[in-house]
Amino acid sequence: MTAPQPGTEPATTTARRVLTALVEAGVTEVVVAPGSRNAPLSFAAYDAAAAGLVRLHTRIDERTAGFLALGLTRSGRRAAVVCTSGTAVANLHPAVLEAAHSGVDLVIVSADRPARLRGTGANQTTDQVGIFGPLVETQDASGPVELLTTGPVHLNVPLEEPLVPEDRWVPDVVPGEPVHRAVPASLTVLPSGPRTVVVAGDDAGPRVRVLAERAGWPLLAEPSSGSRTGDNAIRTYRLLLDGDLGARVERVVVGGHPTLSRPVSRLLARADVEVVDLGAWGVWSERPFAVHSRILGGVGVDAADGTGWLEEWRAADRSLSAQLDALLAAEPELTPHEVAGAVARALPAGGLFVVGASSPIRDLDLMVPRYEVGARRKVVANRGLSGIDGTISTAVGAALGRPRSTRALALMGDVTFLHDAGGLVVGPGEAVPDLTIVVVNDDGGSIFAMLEQGAAEYADQYDRLFGTPHRVDLASLCAATRTPHWRVDSLAELEHALSSPAGGIEVVEAVVRRDNRRDLDARIRALLP
């Protein structure tokens, strides 16, 4: 066995010190991707799991492992992902960037070659210090480790050989609690004054809903805002903003990270609208629009709006919602909007719903029911950078972080599903949640059909560059990982599949058209008088 370099700490000692720091910082979940250089960390994680201090997960792919840890942390736990040196670290980058821009307290633990090998051609050696850029703090774990921070943190751990322990570790560690974000205790009172709407972006939280209800203002809440509940939530706000009501808005109070809607973006950019910012988590706190005032503590209102402004929005929303439902019901085939609505209705109180980027979350935004306050439904989406990366793994992680009795659903498009098909590879003995993944399969990227590049003048280039039909047999793909699969092409079949979960991870493939998506979207927008 190779002796450690003089003056260096043995790799096993370093690894056990790092795992101790993780447990003391409230980490309860450790995801390991296999490798040689991270062997000391893997052995230490195994012993910590045997002692009941953490739950251990292993995945063969680092990108999957990173998003699994991200999902676990989003569920309310704190997770660390452990990988070996070299390109393994780079494969964590998408999950780390999402964590940074969403303010998720993910811990990244990368094994590294000794510092003396940097700048040489040593195998699997690159510069891992600061590899995730200035947005993520990197700590050299050869010294003291400090994890009492919020947001992602990268522990880079140089390890000398030997890389395997000579004994089993019996940790003597007192588990700690994660650091919670501090909210200033101050209270700012807004005048009821101008015609106001409340915009709740991703992770805005319930305080945004409470403000809207106390003030009597319309609530324009995205599905993953944590505030799409109660009587003030306006279902069809995205459409209504392009009409007379939207034109009459004088003030916007915005919380969270709004990313779904161009009408909302246009509203926030208007020079004649006052914007009050309640803040959002993530590394970049500056807004991409002009902000007139910022309130990071408590917020209230001096009096409820008694002008009838809220009732105007409610009446318009009831009418437009009925028209939208009638339009979709008249379609001869299953539409992606109906798929989103069916999955949303299937989510029980206390349930978990993970939504993929691109079209599905926008379809859901038009179709999600007005859930009741206090029913503790949790809707999760990776909206920090709105990527399609790792959605299956995020959903699996989020479901594993919830109680086993919780119903867990995921909704995503076919390209998103294929992008993370490796997330279905789960080895024997691994924890597996009960998770129903609904895949809206239109054989390509339908969101582009609704954007500028989907216009008729680009039709000859569209499929090759944007539609990208793949013709993958999802049933065969699922069979390769022994994942139960249903294929449905009607609303009745979909509702039946959702009402009869098989247990474990299962996939329900809902087949819809893509060639009529642009026309359908135009007809929906034309419902607004």
Side-chain angles (χ1 to χ4, degrees):
M1 183 173 290
T2 306
Q5 289 287 311
T8 62
E9 183 178 60
T12 293
T13 302
T14 301
R16 292 173 178 176
R17 180 169 54 79
V18 169
L19 262 293
T20 297
L22 294 179
V23 173
E24 290 176 341
V27 170
T28 59
E29 311 281 340
V30 177
V31 184
V32 170
S36 177
R37 186 59 50 169
N38 64 325
L41 295 162
S42 300
F43 280 116
Y46 188 96
D47 288 342
L53 295 171
V54 299
R55 184 168 53 163
L56 179 63
H57 313 264
T58 59
R59 292 296 187 271
I60 62 174
D61 169 65
E62 284 80 13
R63 189 173 73 165
T64 292
F67 278 101
L68 181 73
L70 180 76
L72 283 161
T73 305
R74 281 192 176 280
S75 75
R77 298 171 180 263
R78 194 178 192 190
V81 57
V82 178
C83 73
T84 193
S85 63
T87 61
V89 191
N91 279 295
L92 296 175
H93 211 156
V96 175
L97 284 179
E98 175 61 33
H101 285 278
S102 298
V104 176
D105 301 341
L106 180 67
V107 183
I108 307 97
V109 184
S110 60
D112 200 356
R113 303 283 160 147
R116 59 187 168 79
L117 295 181
R118 291 182 198 142
T120 76
N123 185 39
Q124 290 188 344
T125 303
T126 188
D127 188 358
Q128 296 176 193
V129 178
I131 194 171
F132 301 119
L135 302 182
V136 178
E137 175 194 358
T138 298
Q139 296 183 24
D140 180 356
S142 59
V145 171
E146 173 59 67
L147 292 173
L148 299 179
T149 59
T150 58
V153 60
H154 173 208
L155 305 182
N156 193 59
V157 191
L159 295 168
E160 292 273 5
E161 297 180 4
L163 301 175
V164 294
E166 295 182 347
D167 58 355
R168 293 294 294 271
W169 180 38
V170 182
D172 182 15
V173 185
V174 177
E177 292 290 330
V179 176
H180 297 290
R181 295 180 178 88
V183 178
S186 59
L187 175 67
T188 301
V189 178
L190 293 173
S192 57
R195 287 189 293 268
T196 303
V197 296
V198 178
V199 169
D202 180 67
D203 204 23
R207 73 173 182 141
V208 179
R209 171 192 58 79
V210 171
L211 173 65
E213 290 178 348
R214 289 177 177 172
W217 293 330
L219 175 60
L220 318 184
E222 295 183 4
S224 62
S225 63
S227 44
R228 183 75 172 250
T229 56
D231 294 335
N232 288 44
I234 305 298
R235 171 185 165 188
T236 58
Y237 70 88
R238 193 170 82 205
L239 304 176
L240 292 171
L241 280 176
D242 281 334
D244 173 67
L245 284 172
R248 292 163 55 203
V249 173
E250 297 173 331
R251 181 174 62 184
V252 179
V253 180
V254 57
H257 188 196
T259 58
L260 291 186
S261 165
R262 287 188 178 185
V264 168
S265 298
R266 289 193 293 266
L267 173 67
L268 291 167
R270 274 171 43 187
D272 63 330
V273 170
E274 176 190 353
V275 176
V276 179
D277 179 20
L278 302 185
W281 306 119
V283 289
W284 284 351
S285 60
E286 292 301 314
R287 297 293 196 176
F289 43 82
V291 171
H292 297 77
S293 60
R294 176 167 293 165
I295 302 171
L296 300 182
V299 59
V301 64
D302 61 0
D305 187 305
T307 65
W309 173 242
L310 173 60
E311 189 48 46
E312 284 190 74
W313 279 85
R314 284 172 169 165
D317 186 41
R318 286 192 295 269
S319 173
L320 195 53
S321 295
Q323 294 176 65
L324 174 59
D325 290 340
L327 184 153
L328 296 173
E331 291 296 298
E333 295 162 304
L334 183 65
T335 67
H337 301 81
E338 290 174 306
V339 176
V343 180
R345 291 192 300 274
L347 184 69
L352 170 72
F353 191 178
V354 179
V355 191
S358 198
S359 296
I361 193 166
R362 290 171 171 83
D363 298 338
L364 178 68
D365 192 35
L366 281 177
M367 302 299 295
V368 66
R370 186 181 287 108
Y371 293 131
E372 65 273 23
V373 174
R376 304 186 68 82
R377 292 177 175 86
K378 187 175 181 67
V379 181
V380 171
N382 286 338
R383 301 305 300 174
L385 288 179
S386 308
I388 65 172
D389 322 60
T391 307
I392 293 174
S393 300
T394 299
V396 171
L400 283 172
R402 303 277 281 183
R404 185 63 190 248
S405 59
T406 298
R407 180 76 196 274
L409 299 163
L411 175 70
M412 64 193 69
D414 50 304
V415 177
T416 297
F417 179 80
L418 293 174
H419 213 264
D420 192 30
L424 297 177
V425 179
V426 182
E430 291 295 314
V432 177
D434 292 331
L435 172 66
T436 301
I437 301 171
V438 179
V439 183
V440 187
N441 188 1
D442 57 13
D443 193 31
S446 67
I447 190 170
F448 300 110
M450 297 175 281
L451 302 178
E452 294 84 350
Q453 53 264 59
E457 56 264 36
Y458 307 114
D460 61 328
Q461 305 162 69
Y462 177 80
D463 258 11
R464 183 69 183 276
L465 299 177
F466 304 105
T468 57
H470 49 78
R471 300 178 184 174
V472 173
D473 181 349
L474 298 193
S476 297
L477 182 62
C478 290
T481 56
R482 298 179 178 86
T483 304
H485 168 274
W486 294 34
R487 186 180 189 274
V488 301
D489 58 11
S490 72
L491 183 58
E493 288 180 315
L494 173 60
E495 290 174 335
H496 177 62
L498 291 170
S499 68
S500 308
I505 301 172
E506 62 176 350
V507 172
V508 177
E509 176 189 359
V511 180
V512 300
R513 290 172 58 182
R514 178 163 55 85
D515 58 351
N516 67 344
R517 182 62 201 248
R518 188 176 181 88
D519 172 70
L520 179 60
D521 182 63
R523 286 188 285 128
I524 289 173
R525 284 186 281 109
L527 292 173
L528 186 71

